[in-house]
């Protein structure tokens, strides 16, 4: 069965710093999708970034980028120039037919 | 609709009562998912629908939980004889199927409190 592991339950960084959230997963599939979702205190889950496994190039969305290492089954999220609004729970997720989520990392951006 | 809509947003019930939670997905989305999120925890997969059928019910915690989807649109998650451990936020999400797309669009959830 597929599993997703986020080893950092909670992190805090100063505003404007760069922070990296780690994620590893386990699968025997070769074609799949990986995602990072953000859940602010409002509870609404929002897609941050996604990566197709067949693409070698790391996905980037403005201040958010990933380091996708397929052989190592690693999918970390880097947030550059962090902002107070980035404070949220961040979930790594894996998809083949259904989407499996990690337990999340609670990120605090400190002023 | 513009997004995934869930109702009620909050529900308080007494132990032993039945509850129904409703999800109205984005129009045209064929896949619909239910997740449960306990306080401060990750998302626990419950069930997903492709059209009106549920290929994977493996996440339903017990036979007190059931879900249906009619007309390829609205889904209802029913919890019978609720227990205090059922207290959680129940999230619904929908998506287009196929390898070209993979994003889930989430509703705001239904917070269930069982007293």
């Amino acid at each position: 069965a597929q599993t997703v592991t986020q080893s950092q339950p909670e992190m805090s960084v100063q505003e404007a710093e760069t922070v990296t959230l780690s994620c590893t997963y386990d699968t025997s599939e070769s074609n799949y999708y990986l995602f990072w979702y953000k859940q602010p205190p409002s509870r609404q889950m929002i897609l941050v970034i996604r990566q197709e496994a067949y693409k070698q190039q790391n996905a980037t969305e403005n201040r958010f980028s990933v380091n996708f290492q397929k052989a190592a089954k690693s999918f970390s999220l880097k947030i550059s120039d962090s902002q107070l609004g980035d404070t949220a729970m961040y979930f790594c997720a894996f998809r083949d037919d259904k989407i499996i989520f990690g337990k999340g990392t609670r990120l605090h951006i400190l002023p | 609709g513009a997004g995934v809509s869930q109702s009620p947003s909050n529900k308080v019930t007494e132990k032993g009562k039945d509850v129904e939670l409703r999800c109205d997905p984005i129009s045209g989305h064929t896949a619909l998912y239910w997740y449960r999120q306990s306080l401060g925890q990750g998302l626990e997969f419950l069930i997903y629908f492709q059209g009106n059928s549920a290929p994977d019910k493996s996440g339903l915690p017990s036979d007190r939980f059931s879900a249906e989807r009619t007309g390829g649109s609205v889904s209802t998650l029913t919890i019978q004889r609720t227990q205090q451990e059922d207290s959680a936020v129940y999230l619904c999400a929908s998506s287009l199927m196929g390898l070209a797309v993979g994003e889930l669009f989430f509703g705001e959830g239904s917070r269930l409190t069982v007293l």
Side-chain angles (χ1 to χ4, degrees), chain B residues 13-15 24 28 31-32 36 39 43 52 56-58 69 72 76 92-93 95 97 101 104 111:
Chain B
T13 191
E14 292 180 349
K15 178 181 173 181
D24 196 349
L32 185 148
R36 179 168 70 175
L39 184 63
L43 277 68
N52 290 334
D56 190 342
K57 303 180 182 179
S58 62
R69 188 180 186 194
T76 302
C92 176
S95 78
M97 288 300 292
V101 291
L104 287 185
R111 181 181 297 280

Side-chain angles (χ1 to χ4, degrees), chain B residues 50-97:
Chain B
Q50 174 57 31
N52 290 334
S53 64
D56 190 342
K57 303 180 182 179
S58 62
L60 293 177
S62 74
D63 59 8
R64 295 186 296 104
F65 287 73
S66 63
E68 65 175 13
R69 188 180 186 194
T70 56
S73 181
V74 173
S75 175
T76 302
L77 177 68
T78 301
I79 309 172
Q80 297 178 309
R81 305 181 303 281
T82 52
Q83 304 294 312
Q84 289 183 332
E85 61 263 29
D86 299 335
S87 296
V89 175
Y90 290 82
L91 291 168
C92 176
S94 68
S95 78
L96 293 169
M97 288 300 292

Side-chain angles (χ1 to χ4, degrees), chain A residues 44, chain B residues 1-6 23-26 29 92-94 105-108:
Chain A
Q44 179 89 51
Chain B
V4 178
S5 177
Q6 290 189 247
C23 173
D24 196 349
I26 292 173
H29 280 193
C92 176
S94 68
F105 293 83
F106 282 84
E108 295 189 353

Side-chain angles (χ1 to χ4, degrees), chain A residues 33 37 43-44 95 99, chain B residues 35 37 99 102 104 106 108:
Chain A
Y33 287 83
Y37 278 87
R43 205 165 78 191
Q44 179 89 51
R95 176 174 189 172
I99 297 189
Chain B
Y35 290 88
Q37 185 177 27
L99 293 178
L104 287 185
F106 282 84
E108 295 189 353

